Amino acid sequence: MTSLHDSDVGQPVDPADGGRSLKLLSVVAPVYNEVAIIEQFYSRVCAALNGVGFEMVLVDDGSSDGSDIELLKLASNDPRVRVVQLSRNFGHQTALTAGLDHARGDAVVMLDADLQDPPELIPRMLDHWRAGCDVIYAVREQREGESHFKLATARWFYSLFDRLAQVELQHNSGDFRMLDRRALDALLSMRERNRFLRGMTVWVGYRQAAVPYTRDRRYAGVTKYTISKMMRFSLDAISSFSHRPLQLATLLGFLISTLAFIAIPVVIVLRLLGSYLPGFGSLTIAVLLLGGIQLIAIGIIGEYVGRIYDEVKGRPLYLVRGRVNIPDDEAPPVSTASAPSQPGRTM
Ligand code: UDP
Ligand code: MG
């Protein structure tokens, strides 16, 4: 992975990139029950991007607090605001994907709607993009107003992920990142179900750069990540970038079989020494050996099932209930984003 840092802006640009000029920037944000925030989010983004041609793709992730009405209001006053309404709550990562699917920009930036990711950082990210970087991720140097619990669990998660997964994830980088169109297209071609976007954006490679920032406290409302959502999210992250947990079963099988083999001479020695309980030794060995072999077999099957499981469930990632300021011909094709069912195909 090439990882540049903030100070690297202004380095010679790869001639293949030919220097970049921006026609349209897509700002993508998922919204789930954020009625108290939406307007403020809209005005902060508009102020931060003064003079930049941009569109805002806001995804209503099945909100039930009137956020949808607030979004419609914004969209009716400003055609740059495009709204994708999902049919129910699909979760942060899927909602983000829906937004990215609908983005038309040469560059796209994704951020949380709760203003924890300051939109004022976007122009600095754009400088990196113009200098030829394809994935620009914001790295939190400080996190304001977050509980010890959240900070500690985040730390545990990142160190576990480091140990298990094959991609190198920058600690404390959230989903606040900018992607060039080619990196975005690569990302969108990955239609896997367990989505861990920040790992996937690193996986696509290209030229990557980090921009440090201070993560603010939430502007209003409370976190939408419950403990169970956080657990599921970490499991998704690890399972989609590592097969280590499955390999653990194989390892365990070998360990236990080894124990059984060690037990054979021990039983013989005990027999010779005369301290011997009839039947005990042979039974223990048989149980350990069989148990070990079974675990190995389950482990190996698990390896395959894990891989098949990743692939076979051809479900749509999300379903769209409606779109505002997005003409039908600009909606992503059904096969990838899956809005209503295709003619002649039952769902
Ligand atoms: N979000 C969403 N669907 C969900 C949970 C969250 O679209 O099921 C959105 C939420 O509205 C916010 C962003 O994802 O814009 C991040 O969520 P949150 O601030 O609750 O997470 P935290 O910052 O506490 O990790
Ligand atoms: Mg937040």
Side-chain angles (χ1 to χ4, degrees):
M1 184 183 102
T2 42
S3 180
L4 307 174
H5 286 278
D6 205 14
S7 52
D8 290 337
V9 178
Q11 282 199 342
V13 178
D14 185 348
D17 293 318
R20 288 180 177 145
S21 69
L22 184 76
K23 285 191 228 54
L24 182 71
L25 172 72
S26 301
V27 179
V28 174
V31 175
Y32 177 51
N33 293 345
E34 307 282 15
V35 71
I37 290 171
I38 294 167
E39 218 186 297
Q40 181 71 13
F41 173 80
Y42 169 77
S43 36
R44 283 257 309 263
V45 171
C46 289
L49 293 179
N50 200 4
V52 177
F54 73 93
E55 63 170 7
M56 219 184 276
V57 183
L58 301 176
V59 183
D60 172 22
D61 188 16
S63 302
S64 54
D65 68 339
S67 295
D68 46 343
I69 298 167
E70 203 66 30
L71 288 175
L72 290 185
K73 242 192 267 168
L74 281 186
S76 63
N77 292 332
D78 184 347
R80 291 175 304 180
V81 176
R82 295 150 67 92
V83 178
V84 181
Q85 301 163 316
L86 300 189
S87 64
R88 63 167 171 86
N89 178 248
F90 280 90
H92 180 208
Q93 302 286 300
T94 308
L96 257 179
T97 307
L100 296 174
D101 274 334
H102 287 80
R104 296 171 304 166
D106 322 299
V108 38
V109 59
M110 40 178 152
L111 74 175
D112 288 353
D114 60 0
L115 291 170
Q116 284 196 285
D117 306 327
E120 292 72 24
L121 198 70
I122 299 176
R124 254 170 71 204
M125 296 169 114
L126 267 177
D127 290 341
H128 284 264
W129 178 79
R130 288 200 183 90
C133 292
D134 301 293
V135 179
I136 302 111
Y137 48 90
V139 178
R140 311 175 266 233
E141 294 213 304
Q142 272 171 33
R143 296 172 75 156
E144 303 279 342
E146 289 197 278
S147 64
H148 288 301
F149 178 72
K150 180 111 187 176
L151 295 181
T153 46
R155 216 174 26 244
W156 294 337
F157 167 71
Y158 279 107
S159 64
L160 187 68
F161 189 86
D162 264 357
R163 225 162 291 161
L164 296 179
Q166 276 95 32
V167 293
E168 221 179 288
L169 201 63
Q170 173 94 32
H171 285 215
N172 280 320
S173 63
D175 286 310
F176 186 16
R177 41 194 68 202
M178 180 177 285
L179 302 178
D180 177 54
R181 173 48 67 179
R182 65 174 172 174
L184 176 66
D185 285 342
L187 178 75
L188 292 180
S189 70
M190 298 155 78
R191 305 308 291 183
E192 61 212 60
R193 257 116 279 280
N194 299 335
R195 301 184 79 72
F196 181 52
L197 287 172
R198 60 193 84 160
M200 292 159 71
T201 52
V202 173
W203 185 89
V204 298
Y206 298 118
R207 290 184 64 183
Q208 309 227 346
V211 182
Y213 78 110
T214 302
R215 187 163 168 89
D216 294 333
R217 58 182 67 242
R218 243 180 180 278
Y219 177 73
V222 291
T223 176
K224 304 298 178 310
Y225 265 96
T226 55
I227 292 183
S228 71
K229 267 190 186 176
M230 257 156 65
M231 295 276 289
R232 208 173 329 135
F233 181 55
S234 333
L235 270 177
D236 277 352
I238 289 170
S239 68
S240 60
F241 281 96
S242 164
H243 283 119
R244 289 277 164 81
L246 282 172
Q247 289 161 348
L248 211 68
T250 319
L251 196 73
L252 218 66
F254 278 112
L255 262 174
I256 292 174
S257 323
T258 313
L259 269 184
F261 280 110
I262 293 172
I264 296 172
V266 171
V267 169
I268 294 173
V269 170
L270 286 179
R271 176 84 175 99
L272 292 177
L273 293 179
S275 69
Y276 181 65
L277 207 59
F280 174 76
S282 47
L283 257 176
T284 314
I285 291 169
V287 167
L288 283 180
L289 196 68
L290 264 177
I293 290 170
Q294 278 168 347
L295 275 175
I296 294 176
I298 293 174
I300 293 171
I301 295 172
E303 293 277 349
Y304 287 92
V305 173
R307 286 170 170 80
I308 297 165
Y309 175 64
D310 284 346
E311 301 298 332
V312 291
K313 288 198 286 180
R315 285 186 203 163
L317 288 180
Y318 55 85
L319 293 170
V320 173
R321 175 166 61 91
R323 299 183 173 91
V324 187
N325 286 350
I326 305 177
D328 277 347
D329 56 334
E330 282 177 16
V334 175
S335 59
T336 55
S338 286
S341 59
Q342 286 171 329
R345 189 178 129 192
T346 44
M347 301 248 301

